Amino acid sequence: MRITEEQIKLVNGRIKALIEADNFYGKRLKAAGVNEISTVEEFEKLPFSEKADLRDAYPLGLMTAKESDIVRIHSSSGTTGKPVIIPYTAKDVDDWAIMFKRCYEIAGITNMDRIHITPGYGLWTAGIGFQNGAEKLGAMAIPMGPGNTEKQLQMMQDMKSTVLCSTSSYALLLTEEVEKRGIKDKIFLKKGIIGSERWSDKMKKTISEGLGISLYDIYGLTEIYGPGIGISCDENTGMHYFDDYIYIEIINPVTGENLPDGEWGEVVITTLVKEGAPLIRYRTHDLSRIVPGSCPCGCEFPRLDTIMGRTDDMMKIKGVNVFPSQIEEILQKFPEVSSEYQIRISHLDGKDTMRIYVETNGTVDFLELAKRIADRVKSVIGFTPLVKVVEEGVLPRSEKKTKRVIDERYDEV
Ligand code: ZN
């Protein structure tokens, strides 16, 4: 999916604005002597932008439009160091809502739906993105925000919510609560729009069957509007993204070279019309691929495959490169275990150790199951982990992102 002439024209508009604003990317373009581009090759030679560049611009160094045109800021959570502040113009806010409305439509949601929104409202982009999209569509938004599961379930029943917007871990928690209370027949949900983290097919099945809903993966990141720049459809063949607003390329995360459609690599995004804080060739560190060909659903927008993880999730254990998704795939083959797991890596007696915690119900032989899982991991990855089987419900569930990999090697130094 190489950049089109039309998209190049839009990029040139952003290049001009960035040079005028003289921010980090404008300076980079000037240093490279670039005023505009005219070919795919020239585009692919433009410098990348990185999260660190955005952090260095704190607080308002990314602002590219006039301050009088900025109507709002959002901020990424910033777990390490300074946060990133993204300014939005009124047009940016509206463009985002238009994309989000499209997402709801691709999922078959209409203005007769009642949309129950559990992601947080505030500095980050989640809740308000779901809200503006719902209003743009003309549906009824129920702006719950996170937490207070008791109240969530009460409102869900009283308001007869038809669409659940949440993270996968919170959807799982709600599913378990609905089952525990035996209130499935009082829940009117039909669809779930689930965002912000990678989740297994097993977890999908648990939620989808537990709540009796169809599920859709929504994609987005604060640096690029927020959630709502792409969504999966009923065919479940990747997420349609809106190439009139963003251009996506896939690169080799080590060499930075562009990869052809169908090959897995790092997702790099260019905003084509964003005014407040345009980004060119922004490295997301998300791992995915462009799905080749067209979707049987008939939607013409191109597709990005499910996010398989982060390029920085790669763990080096005993000299072997391991992705958490590989472990997850192995665990999915065991029907006895739940969708929850935890990986702990530590350095004991001079060697790396990987411990895998999995949950099961009480009806199987824990030791025998642990051995079978350890053997399977050894046959795929090449070394034997320590597998601990625990009772279902013991591993932590979270309303936000569940941390599944804990690397203790670096805490000990
Ligand atoms: Zn489709």
Side-chain angles (χ1 to χ4, degrees):
M1 196 69 55
R2 301 190 87 185
I3 193 160
T4 64
E5 246 172 75
E6 190 102 347
Q7 288 169 323
I8 285 177
K9 263 186 225 152
L10 294 172
V11 171
N12 279 330
R14 299 306 83 209
I15 287 178
K16 193 160 167 275
L18 285 161
I19 291 175
E20 272 166 24
D22 199 34
N23 56 23
F24 86 91
Y25 202 87
K27 288 196 172 84
R28 218 167 268 177
L29 288 167
K30 264 190 236 168
V34 178
N35 286 311
E36 64 169 23
I37 52 161
S38 46
T39 64
V40 176
E41 290 71 25
E42 281 171 7
F43 175 80
E44 288 174 0
K45 281 199 195 103
L46 288 174
F48 292 115
S49 36
E50 284 275 4
K51 184 99 167 196
D53 299 321
L54 275 51
R55 267 196 210 112
D56 290 345
Y58 183 87
L60 279 171
L62 296 177
M63 192 160 74
T64 303
K66 292 196 299 275
E67 172 146 6
S68 55
D69 291 333
I70 301 296
V71 299
R72 188 200 284 179
I73 61 126
H74 280 293
S75 164
S76 69
S77 48
T79 43
T80 50
K82 278 183 279 186
V84 169
I85 304 283
I86 306 287
Y88 294 67
T89 65
K91 182 178 183 293
D92 294 336
V93 168
D94 198 50
D95 285 348
W96 180 20
I98 292 169
M99 285 188 274
F100 218 124
K101 173 177 184 263
R102 288 182 188 167
C103 287
Y104 284 133
E105 286 168 342
I106 288 172
I109 294 163
T110 73
N111 59 6
M112 288 308 289
D113 276 295
R114 298 182 181 180
I115 305 182
H116 193 101
I117 301 165
T118 71
Y121 286 74
L123 270 178
W124 66 323
T125 48
I128 202 164
F130 285 94
Q131 173 89 22
N132 288 348
E135 290 178 5
K136 192 70 143 183
L137 179 68
M140 186 196 294
I142 305 169
M144 296 300 298
N148 202 343
T149 302
E150 201 65 45
K151 178 133 191 214
Q152 300 278 3
L153 292 172
Q154 195 58 52
M155 284 292 275
M156 204 175 272
Q157 295 171 66
D158 296 344
M159 295 305 301
K160 299 189 164 60
S161 309
T162 58
V163 177
L164 171 68
C165 304
S166 85
T167 59
S168 54
S169 21
Y170 197 48
L172 180 67
L173 188 146
L174 288 172
T175 307
E176 290 173 344
E177 287 299 319
V178 164
E179 271 167 15
K180 227 183 268 171
R181 290 155 204 240
I183 51 171
K184 192 177 171 189
D185 59 334
K186 297 194 179 106
I187 298 289
F188 294 83
L189 293 174
K190 290 184 295 193
K191 290 168 195 286
I193 309 291
I194 309 294
S196 89
E197 62 185 342
R198 196 169 50 81
W199 51 325
S200 66
D201 287 341
K202 190 159 196 168
M203 193 163 169
K204 256 181 209 177
K205 201 161 167 266
T206 307
I207 297 168
S208 156
E209 287 172 2
L211 295 176
I213 58 179
S214 330
L215 296 169
Y216 304 86
D217 277 314
I218 196 155
Y219 184 57
L221 50 162
T222 303
E223 296 87 336
I224 314 283
Y225 296 98
I229 60 173
I231 192 165
S232 61
C233 63
D234 280 318
E235 300 291 334
N236 225 341
T237 55
M239 302 176 286
H240 291 281
Y241 64 90
F242 308 118
D243 57 350
D244 45 352
Y245 289 92
I246 54 167
Y247 172 67
I248 294 186
E249 51 191 321
I250 303 292
I251 63 161
N252 174 324
V254 179
T255 64
E257 274 167 64
N258 280 79
L259 295 173
D261 290 358
E263 277 189 33
W264 292 90
E266 180 177 344
V267 177
V268 173
I269 307 181
T270 296
T271 64
L272 297 173
V273 293
K274 208 155 180 260
E275 297 176 335
L279 287 177
I280 292 180
R281 307 199 79 204
Y282 180 65
R283 294 185 66 160
T284 65
H285 293 272
D286 283 336
L287 276 177
S288 187
R289 62 177 195 130
I290 301 289
V291 181
S294 54
C295 184
C297 81
C299 175
E300 297 288 324
F301 288 113
R303 287 164 298 161
L304 183 68
D305 212 325
T306 312
I307 306 299
M308 274 303 282
R310 307 263 310 152
T311 53
D312 26 41
D313 277 348
M314 196 172 76
M315 309 173 281
K316 206 165 178 126
I317 304 162
K318 299 187 181 188
V320 181
N321 290 334
V322 183
F323 280 100
S325 48
Q326 290 176 292
I327 305 289
E328 190 171 293
E329 255 172 55
I330 295 169
L331 295 178
Q332 277 181 40
K333 306 239 163 75
F334 291 86
E336 304 93 325
V337 305
S338 81
S339 57
E340 294 305 290
Y341 64 94
Q342 197 178 73
I343 300 171
R344 283 182 176 265
I345 302 146
S346 46
H347 198 71
L348 292 173
D349 304 327
K351 38 180 203 197
D352 292 339
T353 330
M354 181 197 252
R355 278 171 295 163
I356 304 174
Y357 292 85
V358 297
E359 288 183 341
T360 186
N361 61 35
T363 59
V364 300
D365 181 340
F366 284 19
L367 286 175
E368 186 271 337
L369 176 62
K371 187 176 181 314
R372 273 193 291 132
I373 293 174
D375 288 348
R376 185 80 66 87
V377 172
K378 164 106 173 49
S379 72
V380 176
I381 314 265
F383 60 83
T384 311
L386 288 167
V387 178
K388 296 246 154 104
V389 179
V390 298
E391 288 277 351
E392 196 156 0
V394 165
L395 293 177
R397 266 82 169 151
S398 129
E399 283 172 17
K400 289 187 184 168
K401 297 181 186 188
T402 302
K403 198 168 163 53
R404 300 186 194 282
V405 180
I406 298 161
D407 199 333
E408 294 164 334
R409 288 176 296 185
Y410 305 107
D411 298 343
E412 292 161 9
V413 186

